[in-house]
Amino acid sequence: MADLSFDPAQAALVVIDLQHGVATLPTTPHSGPDVVSRTAQLADALRIKGGTIVWVNVMAPAGPLALTPELDNPPKFPAAFPAQWSELVPELGVQAEDVRVFKRNWGAFYGTDLDLHLRRRGIRTIILTGIATNMGVESTARDAFERGYDQIFVEDAMSGLGENAHATALGSTFQRMGRVRSTADVLASLGA
């Protein structure tokens, strides 16, 4: 693979749904704790280089703002969500200067101020991590691509909810929208 280069000051690590209700789900091929650990390493390294860290979390899908289309395979939500369901896991090391975005859909752009945060900070490159590769991460990636952002997909700092979901997104979608790299590749490009 070609060397990975980007301007850290014009880059944002956009982290999808690493919260109590999602990061604890059974994922494949990487565990939730591994995704969280690698994402925290990336956040620390990019922050040192002047990059932007964006933590995105989905609010519990309930009440009048919940999506209710007819589905062949509807999600199975609990009758009531635990109090911490939407809270980011503490292992991420969220800092006061980091950007927080709250969403109610799979993707982080629709119905949020994510694009405004990125454009006002002069961001050109989005580094994506999170759970689930084939849902929130992929939806966000598609929207970012259509908005003209360069993207880096950190393959071992994201994971899917199904056997082939992660591999399919990486192999057939992400390579057509950006660059797929490992945590080690991104850290090396940041001099970490």
Side-chain angles (χ1 to χ4, degrees):
M1 255 187 227
D3 288 337
L4 180 63
S5 64
F6 60 93
D7 180 353
Q10 293 183 322
L13 175 67
V14 177
V15 181
I16 305 298
D17 300 341
L18 293 186
Q19 60 197 62
H20 289 283
V22 177
T24 57
L25 294 171
T27 59
T28 183
H30 309 289
S31 72
D34 286 345
V35 170
V36 167
S37 174
R38 292 176 185 132
T39 296
Q41 290 174 24
L42 292 164
D44 290 343
L46 185 61
R47 206 180 274 117
I48 289 168
K49 294 293 186 174
T52 300
I53 312 303
V54 181
W55 305 103
V56 179
N57 57 308
V58 63
M59 305 311 290
L65 296 179
L67 294 173
T68 58
E70 293 291 324
L71 305 171
D72 283 338
N73 186 12
K76 295 165 182 63
F77 293 122
F81 289 89
Q84 292 183 323
W85 194 90
S86 293
E87 292 179 21
L88 296 172
V89 297
E91 294 85 358
L92 292 169
V94 176
Q95 302 293 311
E97 68 272 12
D98 297 342
V99 176
R100 296 294 307 274
V101 172
F102 301 94
K103 66 184 178 91
R104 294 193 177 274
N105 302 291
W106 284 5
F109 282 95
Y110 181 77
T112 75
D113 56 359
L114 175 59
D115 195 48
L116 177 68
H117 281 294
L118 298 175
R119 294 205 185 275
R120 296 256 171 109
R121 287 168 171 80
I123 301 301
R124 295 195 34 79
T125 302
I126 293 174
I127 303 165
L128 267 173
T129 72
I131 297 173
T133 306
N134 58 304
M135 296 170 83
V137 176
E138 185 172 340
S139 292
T140 300
R142 288 175 182 273
D143 286 348
F145 178 75
E146 291 175 357
R147 285 166 172 78
Y149 290 102
D150 292 333
Q151 295 185 84
I152 300 167
F153 304 99
V154 189
E155 60 88 14
D156 58 350
M158 61 178 71
S159 202
L161 298 179
E163 178 109 8
N164 298 316
H166 180 79
T168 300
L170 289 169
S172 66
T173 306
F174 291 169
Q175 292 181 17
R176 298 173 76 70
M177 294 190 295
R179 298 169 284 177
V180 176
R181 298 294 189 274
S182 68
T183 299
D185 292 335
V186 178
L187 290 174
S189 72
L190 292 168

